[in-house]
Amino acid sequence: MTERKVSWLELFFDLIFVTAVASTTHLLLSVDNHPDKTAVYFGEYLLMVTPMFWAWVGQTMFFNRFGEKIKLPELYMLPQMFFLILMTASFDLTFSNTYYTFLIGYLGIRFITVIQYFVMSRQLVGNARKVAIILGSVFLVGVFTTATSVFFDGFIRYLVMYLGIAVDIILPLFLAKTLRKVPVDFPHLAERFGLFVIITFGESIVAITTILVGHTLDLYTISYTFLGFLIISTLFVSYFHSFEKIIDHHKETHGQYLIYGHFFIIISIMLLAANLHLLFEDHLEKNVLLLMLFGSVALFFISKQFVFITHKKVEVSFSFWKDALLLLLLVGLFFLNLYTNLPLFVSFVSIWVCALIDLGLQFRTSRPARI
């Protein structure tokens, strides 16, 4: 069977998410001007990035299962891209100012996805038809729940809005048995998520480049940027080495572990990108900055391991104790840097050492067993 490739339309669709990722990361940087609202801004950041990610996942999952069967996919995906532009332009920490345009953007994307499932169900038979109808119905419930938020004010409005988004995200978890009957095209889906991870790593590169602009002759700034690049590069290689060598690309699966695991992978990389900026400016409290730095790397490690362990080749074996010891080392280095007056570069070196150890473990895990 010929291996399916990502289409040009899908790549064009992803291009809009480059801007969306950059916009949500920029929002998190606003905490630098309001250190007293760190927790509030972080919460609002998650409320922005979650529907953005889920909008991408919804269309990606549909296209993965049924994209080769639907006629004229451009008629669906191009309008979705405009709604995403509207939603991205509405990312604002003063959410009341852009609530309606954000809502229209999100509902537009999701409603088109629902239409695609019902249109597709008329061309399918058996389990494929059943899955298309069930997913279309579940997502329609989420769309209508989110839409009813317009009838409320204040906190209740946002509670109802995100209740609908939660329905979209959580209900498919209870459909795993049904979804497994119509497995995803795993190589195609893995490639799509790999491309999204590249987008988020790209935002980290933008972050350190921005720091260096106008300071290319300053030794401290160059050293800071170099250490940041080492961390990003090592995490990148660790992910994609495992992606190529450890994942079983012929695995039959419903794809849910890949989806939910990558949500946290992408969040961790975006947090790291923002943290590189915030650490350089050094306006926030040290404990907050270090928690974001070490926390984002720990989240990356845990979610990455989850994805690769649940999709590994049969002959690949992970060591729980080695992974646990690496996490303990990361936690220990966090507290060492937190309760001492060590300079910033020591924190960066600590993170890089842990990333190198993780990379070494991935190389060892993927090495063919000796006969």
Side-chain angles (χ1 to χ4, degrees):
M1 186 174 66
T2 304
E3 184 176 335
R4 180 178 173 185
K5 298 292 184 181
V6 175
S7 70
W8 292 111
L9 181 60
E10 290 174 286
L11 292 174
F12 189 37
F13 185 70
D14 287 354
L15 185 63
I16 305 299
F17 284 89
V18 175
T19 304
V21 168
S23 297
T24 51
T25 303
H26 180 74
L27 283 180
L28 194 56
L29 295 178
S30 301
V31 73
D32 197 30
N33 300 319
H34 304 278
D36 56 317
K37 296 183 178 180
T38 301
V40 173
Y41 277 24
F42 181 72
E44 292 184 351
Y45 161 78
L46 289 178
L47 292 179
M48 297 289 180
V49 76
T50 301
M52 179 270 291
F53 175 77
W54 195 247
W56 180 87
V57 164
Q59 180 58 29
T60 296
M61 292 300 291
F62 170 83
F63 209 82
N64 177 268
R65 278 195 171 97
F66 307 119
E68 293 185 319
K69 299 176 183 178
I70 196 165
K71 297 178 181 179
L72 298 175
E74 296 88 352
L75 293 180
Y76 301 97
M77 290 182 71
L78 292 177
Q80 281 183 316
M81 291 169 67
F82 175 76
F83 281 118
L84 177 63
I85 291 171
L86 181 63
M87 188 174 78
T88 301
S90 304
F91 287 157
D92 193 318
L93 292 177
T94 310
F95 202 17
S96 58
N97 296 337
T98 56
Y99 161 75
Y100 288 106
T101 51
F102 181 90
L103 183 66
I104 292 170
Y106 179 76
L107 291 179
I109 297 169
R110 297 302 292 155
F111 190 61
I112 292 174
T113 300
V114 169
I115 291 173
Q116 288 179 107
Y117 275 111
F118 287 128
V119 168
M120 197 70 244
S121 68
R122 300 175 62 183
Q123 306 174 33
L124 301 171
V125 295
N127 287 325
R129 174 180 171 82
K130 181 180 179 181
V131 165
I133 292 174
I134 289 176
L135 288 177
S137 301
V138 166
F139 295 148
L140 187 60
V141 170
V143 166
F144 278 131
T145 304
T146 298
T148 58
S149 65
V150 298
F151 300 112
F152 301 93
D153 294 312
F155 173 76
I156 301 298
R157 167 191 286 178
Y158 304 114
L159 179 64
V160 173
M161 178 182 183
Y162 282 95
L163 176 63
I165 296 173
V167 166
D168 253 13
I169 295 173
I170 295 172
L171 282 188
L173 286 171
F174 298 96
L175 303 173
K177 186 177 180 179
T178 301
L179 295 177
R180 194 174 280 112
K181 296 177 181 178
V182 186
V184 297
D185 185 325
F186 189 77
H188 174 264
L189 189 63
E191 185 179 6
R192 297 288 284 119
F193 276 99
L195 290 171
F196 204 115
V197 170
I198 287 178
I199 289 173
T200 52
F201 269 117
E203 181 60 26
S204 299
I205 297 299
V206 171
I208 61 175
T209 303
T210 304
I211 291 170
L212 195 55
V213 170
H215 303 280
T216 53
L217 298 179
D218 181 68
L219 184 59
Y220 173 79
T221 306
I222 293 174
S223 300
Y224 181 95
T225 304
F226 179 68
L227 283 172
F229 179 73
L230 284 178
I231 293 171
I232 294 167
S233 300
T234 306
L235 295 177
F236 177 89
V237 174
S238 176
Y239 174 89
F240 281 100
H241 173 80
S242 301
F243 185 89
E244 293 292 335
K245 302 295 184 181
I246 293 176
I247 281 185
D248 179 3
H249 290 273
H250 301 289
K251 190 178 184 68
E252 284 200 359
T253 175
H254 45 60
Q256 290 180 311
Y257 296 147
L258 200 69
I259 293 171
Y260 298 103
H262 271 87
F263 172 74
F264 293 103
I265 289 175
I266 287 165
I267 287 290
S268 66
I269 300 170
M270 293 171 71
L271 285 175
L272 178 62
N275 192 243
L276 290 171
H277 262 291
L278 296 172
L279 277 167
F280 185 76
E281 297 296 335
D282 196 27
H283 291 167
L284 298 182
E285 293 182 11
K286 180 182 178 181
N287 60 339
V288 174
L289 293 171
L290 289 177
L291 182 61
M292 282 185 64
L293 177 64
F294 283 85
S296 62
V297 175
L299 181 62
F300 175 83
F301 174 72
I302 294 170
S303 49
K304 173 177 66 69
Q305 293 300 92
F306 170 78
V307 167
F308 293 139
I309 289 172
T310 53
H311 299 91
K312 70 180 183 67
K313 297 174 182 176
V314 175
E315 65 272 18
V316 171
S317 178
F318 283 84
S319 171
F320 169 80
W321 295 111
K322 289 179 181 178
D323 290 344
L325 287 173
L326 178 56
L327 277 177
L328 286 175
L329 174 62
L330 192 64
V331 171
L333 290 171
F334 164 69
F335 284 110
L336 175 65
N337 284 275
L338 180 64
Y339 292 113
T340 61
N341 292 318
L342 295 173
L344 177 61
F345 81 89
V346 176
S347 301
F348 270 41
V349 171
S350 300
I351 289 293
W352 185 49
V353 167
C354 291
L356 281 176
I357 294 173
D358 175 40
L359 179 59
L361 291 175
Q362 302 311 306
F363 274 106
R364 188 174 182 84
T365 299
S366 63
R367 190 171 59 188
R370 295 181 180 179
I371 299 176

